[in-house]
Amino acid sequence: MTKTNSMNVIITKDYDEMSLRAAQIMADAINETPNGCFGFATGSTPVGMYKALIDMHLAGKVDFSGLTTFNLDEYYPIQKDNDQSYDFFMRDNLFNHVNLDKSRMNIPNGETDDPVACCRAYEQAIEACGGIEMQLLGLGLNGHIGFNEPTAEGFSRATNLVDLTDSTIQANKRFFETEADVPKKAMTMGIKTIMHAKKVLMIVSGASKAEIVNTLINGPITPLVPASVLQLHHDVTIVLDKDAASAL
Ligand code: F6R
């Protein structure tokens, strides 16, 4: 594979402008393909964008009624009604506030007894829907996308069950009562799944991510920086706030 150099990098002045800009890009894509499959992400970065999408929906500017959604990942094991599950997060931050038909909302099932089969079925469901029109991504401090952590292994994985790294457990323990409550595994779309999306929209905010943003855009393509693989995707838009863009 060769670099496509087609990353569209948009620098905005702050978190609010980043959120609005990204919401507009996603809303335009939804309006273009109102019956398509769209990929969503959790984390702190998309919260403002989801608020903006809800506002646009309430103003009649975007309609979720025809969409099928696929989320990037989910902890394993976790109950859906745990307020730290990504299932709970998506309902709370977006899906309960728009007219999405919840029977077409897909998030890996943290309650399953057979996570490996669940991951396989998830990948098949994405293929069966004809591929993801636009996949939203955040960016981990170590360059992870989804729960695809730095590894020497390459970019070939589809949706799979992964062990969380100690750094991710440490980063996420603030959301749980004790460190022992943080699930030790997750189900995540693989890099291969993400790269099959027709369009990728990444949002990144804050100075702490400035270095990794520069590495992902300008550094070598390596599985040690999982997001660097996006240099090979033909249609990537990265919306940054000023701080996240400060090392470019
Ligand atoms: C979320 C996900 C993660 C986050 C990343 C950034 O579904 O898969 O890769 O996008 O960890 O998280 P925040 O936005 O909290 O900095």
Side-chain angles (χ1 to χ4, degrees):
M1 285 195 278
T2 49
K3 280 199 191 199
T4 62
N5 288 326
S6 64
M7 281 183 166
N8 175 22
V9 180
I10 299 173
I11 301 173
T12 61
K13 74 171 190 300
D14 57 19
Y15 178 80
D16 288 346
E17 195 183 306
M18 176 204 75
S19 301
L20 278 177
R21 198 63 188 272
Q24 191 60 59
I25 291 168
M26 173 81 78
D28 288 347
I30 293 173
N31 289 334
E32 249 172 56
T33 321
N35 298 314
C37 296
F38 281 75
F40 288 88
T42 61
S44 47
T45 315
V47 171
M49 174 186 168
Y50 291 161
K51 284 204 175 92
L53 278 172
I54 294 166
D55 290 345
M56 285 177 191
H57 170 67
L58 294 175
K61 293 186 178 144
V62 62
D63 175 11
F64 289 78
S65 64
L67 290 200
T68 300
T69 68
F70 286 92
N71 258 76
L72 272 175
D73 45 17
E74 177 61 285
Y75 288 118
Y76 186 77
I78 198 158
Q79 297 297 308
K80 290 182 192 193
D81 61 2
N82 183 321
D83 63 5
Q84 293 310 320
S85 79
Y86 291 173
D87 200 288
F88 189 99
F89 176 100
M90 286 311 300
R91 290 170 193 269
D92 199 35
N93 284 282
L94 182 61
F95 296 152
N96 282 348
H97 312 286
V98 296
N99 61 341
L100 178 74
D101 173 352
K102 300 257 185 30
S103 68
R104 290 205 297 267
M105 162 189 138
N106 297 284
I107 299 179
N109 179 7
E111 298 179 356
T112 182
D113 291 334
D114 190 344
V116 172
C118 177
C119 289
R120 208 176 303 123
Y122 200 74
E123 190 73 21
Q124 281 163 358
I126 293 172
E127 276 168 32
C129 92
I132 289 175
E133 295 297 329
M134 176 174 277
Q135 176 64 52
L136 178 66
L137 298 177
L139 177 66
L141 279 173
N142 61 2
H144 74 213
I145 45 180
F147 271 120
N148 296 284
E149 302 289 355
T151 159
E153 245 184 59
F155 293 127
S156 60
R157 285 185 171 218
T159 303
N160 67 115
L161 181 69
V162 294
D163 292 317
L164 299 191
T165 60
D166 205 44
S167 74
T168 300
I169 292 171
Q170 293 304 323
N172 292 1
K173 74 177 182 201
R174 65 188 193 276
F175 300 117
F176 291 83
E177 255 171 48
T178 68
E179 188 177 329
D181 292 330
V182 186
K184 303 294 176 288
K185 291 180 187 282
M187 291 180 276
T188 181
M189 285 187 195
I191 297 286
K192 186 169 130 194
T193 327
I194 293 168
M195 289 298 280
H196 278 164
K198 293 173 201 164
K199 293 186 166 113
V200 171
L201 173 62
M202 174 178 266
I203 50 176
V204 195
S205 165
S208 65
K209 300 215 177 131
E211 279 308 324
I212 193 69
V213 164
N214 183 44
T215 307
L216 110 78
I217 295 174
N218 295 316
I221 300 168
T222 162
L224 297 173
V225 181
S228 65
V229 75
L230 296 175
Q231 293 179 34
L232 301 173
H233 195 283
H234 61 280
D235 193 340
V236 180
T237 300
I238 305 182
V239 187
L240 304 170
D241 66 8
K242 196 168 62 314
D243 291 341
S246 58
L248 287 177

